[in-house]
Amino acid sequence: MDIHLSPPSKTILAIVTASLLTACSGSSISGQQTPQQAAGPLAIGLVVPLSGVYAPLGEDMTNGFKLYLDQHGGRLGGKEIALKSSDEGEGPQTGVPAATKLVTQDKAVAVAGIVNSATALGARNAFIESKVPLVIANAGANDVTAGASPYIWRTSFTNNDVAASLGAEVAEQAGDGSVYLIAPDYAAGKEMIGGFKKTFEAAGGKVAGESFTPFGTTKDFQPFLSTIKGSGAKAVFCFYSGAEAVGFVTQYAQFGLADDLPLYATGFLTEGSVLKAQGGAATGAQTSLHYSDQIDTPRNKEFVAAYQAAYNEPPTVFAVQAYDAAAVLDKAIAKAAAPTGEAIAKVIGEIGPIDSPRGQWSFDADHDPTQPYYLRKVEDRAGTLVNVVVKKLGQD
């Protein structure tokens, strides 16, 4: 779901420089529009994976953003929008040029999207220099919003926060028992484990051991599952997504651990298409996330109905994050003194709470969302596996 390189490598910085130098001849990296341009539709960029392994996430995000536009007559802030899409692909080699193209060539006054944290880290300085706001709708690396630039905002999550939200709950459920921690061996995996461990241990939780599996190449989890079984742990916390989430959950059940050791994770373990692929092996898994299509509120029920009517499937957290990115731009463009990137960025911090399907949220001082997190549990409801909302985390 999310690859994170921190800090950006020289290769990524070279990609940024090259993408700016090879933009349209004579074009500026500024996203500011001339009065003649401003009179027409306002160009807004959407950069998500349209190809490659992350394409399903990109499709969800595109659907969420377009649903918001459709519900508002193709307008944001009362202005007609020309939506410019760009393919992020699988990593920064394609993602950084795709993101910067929306500013240099398509003249977008604001850009939303980005799945991959390495892409977000590699592109952020270009947006700051061009004075065009980037509203990140997925990438979760903690460092993406470091420095609180007025041009970098995030409607998704930080790796640290989404994992930390579950720590105290697992400590309470485990009681005197210890918990084993496991995640892929890359930056996002380490940030997830670190965030969980901090709040888990602060609440009195005991760690039975931890493992980091080779990222992107681990297909046989049995050696790690054997270690877990012999550790004496009474439960497991993990972070996996995509194909690794399917493999881990399936083998966890096949190995017999699902019957003896409760499985906890961040919600990406059982979100969207991976839950369908896991099937009954995922039943009983408990996760933390800032969204579930099962949230029982009028706002979410209305959103789920509209999304299902439009796309014939339930919405995911990725769709909601992009839907909310459109909501942020809607409020900011309406409030901005002029239809320029600089003017829009100036007021994003002033727009107030977002009335979202996930629940009301707002930006914090670091430009990340302060939002509700939910304890979810995979259950079979009328033959369909869903992430039932047990409660808001931190609340009874």
Side-chain angles (χ1 to χ4, degrees):
M1 175 204 64
D2 186 3
I3 300 174
H4 169 197
L5 302 177
S6 178
S9 67
K10 291 181 180 179
T11 301
I12 296 175
L13 295 177
I15 292 168
V16 176
T17 302
S19 65
L20 295 178
L21 291 175
T22 58
C24 290
S25 176
S27 68
S28 164
I29 66 170
S30 172
Q32 312 312 313
Q33 294 193 331
T34 66
Q36 184 177 4
Q37 288 174 311
L42 204 60
I44 297 294
L46 181 65
V47 55
V48 296
L50 303 175
S51 61
V53 67
Y54 302 121
L57 276 65
E59 181 179 1
D60 289 354
M61 293 167 71
T62 299
N63 289 347
F65 199 94
K66 286 187 174 180
L67 178 62
Y68 190 95
L69 277 178
D70 290 344
Q71 290 178 333
H72 292 79
R75 295 174 177 270
L76 295 178
K79 299 186 183 299
E80 184 181 355
I81 296 301
L83 186 62
K84 307 291 184 178
S85 296
S86 191
D87 185 3
E88 180 183 347
E90 294 188 357
Q93 290 77 13
T94 54
V96 172
T100 55
K101 169 188 172 293
L102 291 168
V103 177
T104 59
Q105 296 184 32
D106 295 321
K107 299 300 180 185
V109 297
V111 174
I114 301 189
V115 164
N116 189 303
S117 286
T119 296
L121 288 163
R124 69 187 303 277
N125 285 346
F127 283 89
I128 294 169
E129 291 169 6
S130 65
K131 297 183 178 180
V132 171
L134 172 63
V135 182
I136 296 163
N138 187 69
N142 297 341
D143 290 343
V144 167
T145 49
S149 165
Y151 298 100
I152 307 297
W153 303 82
R154 178 155 45 191
T155 63
S156 51
F157 59 93
T158 68
N159 292 336
N160 184 77
D161 285 350
V162 69
S165 68
L166 190 56
E169 176 69 24
V170 175
E172 180 179 348
Q173 289 196 28
D176 295 333
S178 58
V179 175
Y180 199 95
L181 317 180
I182 186 168
D185 190 9
Y186 75 123
K190 293 178 180 178
E191 287 184 347
M192 292 283 187
I193 292 295
F196 172 81
K197 197 173 178 179
K198 183 176 180 180
T199 55
F200 174 68
E201 291 184 326
K206 304 172 188 175
V207 174
E210 58 186 77
S211 294
F212 290 95
T213 58
F215 173 59
T217 62
T218 303
K219 293 182 170 53
D220 181 9
F221 289 94
Q222 183 169 332
F224 302 98
L225 297 174
S226 294
T227 300
I228 291 172
K229 188 172 184 179
S231 70
K234 300 302 181 184
V236 173
F237 170 82
C238 73
F239 161 69
Y240 286 106
S241 62
E244 288 185 317
V246 176
F248 183 82
V249 168
T250 301
Q251 292 175 45
Y252 192 84
Q254 290 172 345
F255 202 69
L257 295 183
D259 295 331
D260 300 323
L261 303 182
L263 181 60
Y264 302 92
T266 53
F268 311 109
L269 186 76
T270 62
E271 184 69 4
S273 60
V274 297
L275 181 56
K276 294 180 183 178
Q278 290 160 348
T283 303
Q286 296 185 67
T287 65
S288 62
L289 204 62
H290 44 289
Y291 182 69
S292 167
D293 64 340
Q294 301 296 302
I295 294 173
D296 189 15
T297 62
R299 179 73 181 94
N300 187 52
K301 288 180 178 179
E302 175 188 38
F303 171 74
V304 170
Y307 192 94
Q308 288 183 314
Y311 306 114
N312 198 32
E313 62 183 7
T316 65
V317 68
F318 312 111
V320 171
Q321 292 168 170
Y323 184 86
D324 285 359
V328 166
L329 292 176
D330 186 22
K331 297 183 76 170
I333 291 168
K335 190 176 181 66
T340 67
E342 188 171 7
I344 293 167
K346 186 176 181 179
V347 299
I348 291 179
E350 304 171 4
I351 61 175
I354 299 296
D355 181 22
S356 168
R358 73 181 90 170
Q360 193 174 88
W361 66 269
S362 58
F363 288 114
D364 66 14
D366 294 323
H367 300 178
D368 293 315
T370 296
Q371 62 188 340
Y373 282 98
Y374 301 92
L375 177 65
R376 317 181 320 166
K377 186 174 184 179
V378 177
E379 295 183 5
D380 187 319
R381 294 287 176 93
T384 300
L385 291 174
V386 296
N387 289 292
V388 174
V389 175
V390 178
K391 64 177 182 179
K392 282 187 179 180
L393 286 166
Q395 302 182 19
D396 295 328

